Amino acid sequence: MISLVSVRGLQLAALATLCCGVPHVGAQSAYQPYSYHFYQKMNDVLYDSDTRLHTSLKPLIIDSALQPRYESLMRLRERGQLSWGERKLYNEHLIEVKKATYTFYADFLPDFQIGRDFAGSGRTTWVNTRGAQAGVTIEDKFSVYVNFFENQAVFPAYLNEYVFEQAIVPGQGHGKTSYSNPKISDWMYSSAVASYTVNQYLNITLAYDKHFIGDGYRSLLLSDASSNYTALKLTGKLGNVQYMSMWTYMMDPVHPRSYTYDPITGLPTRGGDNWKWGAFQYLDWNVDNRFSIGLFQSVIWGARNAAGQRGFDFNYFNPIIFMRPVELTNTSSPDKMHLGLNAKYKALKNLSVYGQFLLGEFVAKNFFSTNGHVTNKWGAQFGFRGYDAFGVKNLNFLTEYNTVRPYTYAHFDPVSNYSNYGQPLAHPWGANFRELVGILNYSYGQFDFSFQGTWGQFGADPDSASNFGGDIFKSYLTPINEYDNYIGQGIKNTLLFADGRISYLLNPKYNLRIEAGATYRRHGIPEKGSHHQTGMFTLGLRSSFRNFYYDF
């Protein structure tokens, strides 16, 4: 059923792509990084029942309908006569040039935090980040955005252990620690985006960045939880249909290029990380002001297979083709395919219901049965979000449920699993879990208040040789059972995560703010009678628009 709908949708996309693109956005084509907590401030336009905007493909393009609300958020601190220093602190970029045919800006982006974990290790935590960003727009055609961050940090114990064991700072690339001082993490992070609006119908973007598909906090199709990757993206719009085709180049440190060791030092040979390729397509149709439906497909393939090295497969380069038949023409294909559905319905003027369904493999007799077969791989999301709750202006909320069956994002060759730089491309928990998320956001003047609560259950492997389906970096050819698989199997884990933040906005142009936060995390393993707690208070001077997913 999904395949038939996808084929028909992509036939429509084929027609649309001949002459489609992004709306004419003028000078507002400048890049705006995706941040859930910033984007939700535009809910009253994005999810109003009187608007007909595409909301699921992020980062968003600031079009004429969204521009007034966006500009009001960027002018939040504007007031009367101010000195040069006050303007730079409160409502301007550090360096700002505006000419008739081009604009330029640049900013220093600090993120300085200090905190204390009272419930867990009792350690003092801190973050020392020095960053910068710059942006250029030329007329209404071309824009460039770059940022760079140099970071050191002492994280709470659970994050520190992850960075030490995986050598990855979640969502931010390679993280270095040392045996002499394993508490301190050191890493760099950067993004670069070049966007060209060919005409009022077509936009081309080349980026080292992240992408997100969905209307919720999480995405089971494609999320921004992993690190940046290189992507070439075509985005089109014709009437009420939006279409995206994207090709990606991603790193894979879990499978290095070389497994040889230096005979003298005994250290691994410097062969570097391996790489992998991906192709993604998404068609979004706003049926009317209230209902929209989106069709998704993706394919991932590794840079190596049984025969050795493998490069980019140009069979997937056609931006309007249905990729499943192409994948099947490759006899004994080593590639990983996914199909997905994203839907949204504006039930009330200020309340929207949304959901996703992802299919990792489809065998009809197993999918429609209750035998728990290992090939029954799917994930589902259901949620609702709203704004101006209970008549309170700028009170936004979200409630969301996510669940994914075991082995869903895994592949028989782990090189081609659904991941980028050692982290899942979809939900950060991988697979074999159920989760409930609730988020409240409220803005009053320059003050922002937020609260997030997450509860979840997931199944883990008792040892490295077992495979209950939660670890997507293991081959699905080694399951514990062929039948009777269920969500949460293996060693049962429970997670409770609560995070509250109060911030005072200094400069909306680059989200400079003073922020105080409190976090509580409780990770339990009931059958072992053990649990680990983190209870933190933090205070900091922060800036930039970035999502960090530390709720795992």
Side-chain angles (χ1 to χ4, degrees), residues 151 155 160 162-170 172-178 184-188 227 253 421:
N151 317 266
F155 289 120
N160 178 244
Y162 181 90
V163 176
F164 183 77
E165 294 173 0
Q166 306 295 329
I168 296 170
V169 177
Q172 300 174 72
H174 178 61
K176 296 181 291 184
T177 56
S178 65
I184 298 180
S185 301
D186 191 325
W187 73 101
M188 291 186 291
S227 303
Y421 208 84

Side-chain angles (χ1 to χ4, degrees), residues 494-543:
T494 61
L495 181 68
L496 175 65
F497 183 90
D499 182 85
R501 301 198 173 269
I502 303 174
S503 63
Y504 183 77
L505 185 62
L506 296 173
N507 192 321
K509 290 293 194 300
Y510 52 101
N511 204 22
L512 180 66
R513 64 201 187 274
I514 300 171
E515 182 180 273
T519 302
Y520 177 75
R521 176 184 182 271
R522 190 180 191 278
H523 175 204
I525 307 177
E527 65 184 72
K528 293 185 178 180
S530 64
H531 68 271
H532 178 272
Q533 295 187 97
T534 298
M536 292 184 57
F537 290 96
T538 60
L539 179 66
L541 176 68
R542 312 193 65 186
S543 64

Side-chain angles (χ1 to χ4, degrees), residues 83-285:
S83 66
W84 180 89
E86 289 174 322
R87 294 199 313 272
K88 295 303 176 182
L89 178 61
Y90 293 130
N91 56 28
E92 291 184 3
H93 294 288
L94 181 62
I95 301 173
E96 193 167 19
V97 179
K98 293 184 178 180
K99 299 294 183 180
T101 57
Y102 72 90
T103 65
F104 171 79
Y105 69 87
D107 298 295
F108 172 65
L109 302 178
D111 192 350
F112 305 135
Q113 299 177 67
I114 188 154
R116 182 72 177 176
D117 182 0
F118 293 97
S121 59
R123 71 173 65 181
T124 297
T125 65
W126 51 264
V127 176
N128 178 14
T129 293
R130 293 83 60 210
Q133 70 172 7
V136 175
T137 63
I138 300 176
E139 295 183 333
D140 58 357
K141 294 289 186 181
F142 184 70
S143 67
V144 173
Y145 172 84
V146 295
N147 65 28
F148 175 81
F149 299 89
E150 168 68 22
N151 317 266
Q152 292 82 37
V154 171
F155 289 120
Y158 80 98
L159 273 177
N160 178 244
E161 291 172 5
Y162 181 90
V163 176
F164 183 77
E165 294 173 0
Q166 306 295 329
I168 296 170
V169 177
Q172 300 174 72
H174 178 61
K176 296 181 291 184
T177 56
S178 65
Y179 285 97
S180 60
N181 196 346
K183 289 185 179 181
I184 298 180
S185 301
D186 191 325
W187 73 101
M188 291 186 291
Y189 177 92
S190 65
S191 303
V193 181
S195 176
Y196 179 58
T197 302
V198 179
N199 50 42
Q200 60 179 332
Y201 303 112
L202 178 63
N203 176 268
I204 302 173
T205 299
L206 178 63
Y208 181 70
D209 198 25
K210 302 181 182 185
H211 307 270
F212 187 98
I213 296 176
D215 289 285
Y217 174 66
R218 309 284 198 191
S219 175
L220 303 185
L221 307 182
L222 179 64
S223 83
D224 60 340
S226 71
S227 303
N228 287 351
Y229 49 88
T230 299
L232 173 64
K233 181 170 68 172
L234 306 181
T235 307
K237 183 180 178 183
L238 181 64
N240 296 309
V241 176
Q242 184 184 54
Y243 180 70
M244 181 274 290
S245 191
M246 182 171 66
W247 302 269
T248 65
Y249 175 87
M250 298 172 286
M251 302 302 294
D252 187 6
V254 179
H255 302 92
R257 298 185 195 181
S258 175
Y259 291 94
T260 61
Y261 292 84
D262 187 285
I264 298 177
T265 64
L267 297 175
T269 303
R270 294 176 66 91
D273 296 332
N274 219 319
W275 66 92
K276 61 202 306 181
W277 307 90
F280 304 82
Q281 293 176 354
Y282 182 67
L283 175 69
D284 190 41
W285 178 28

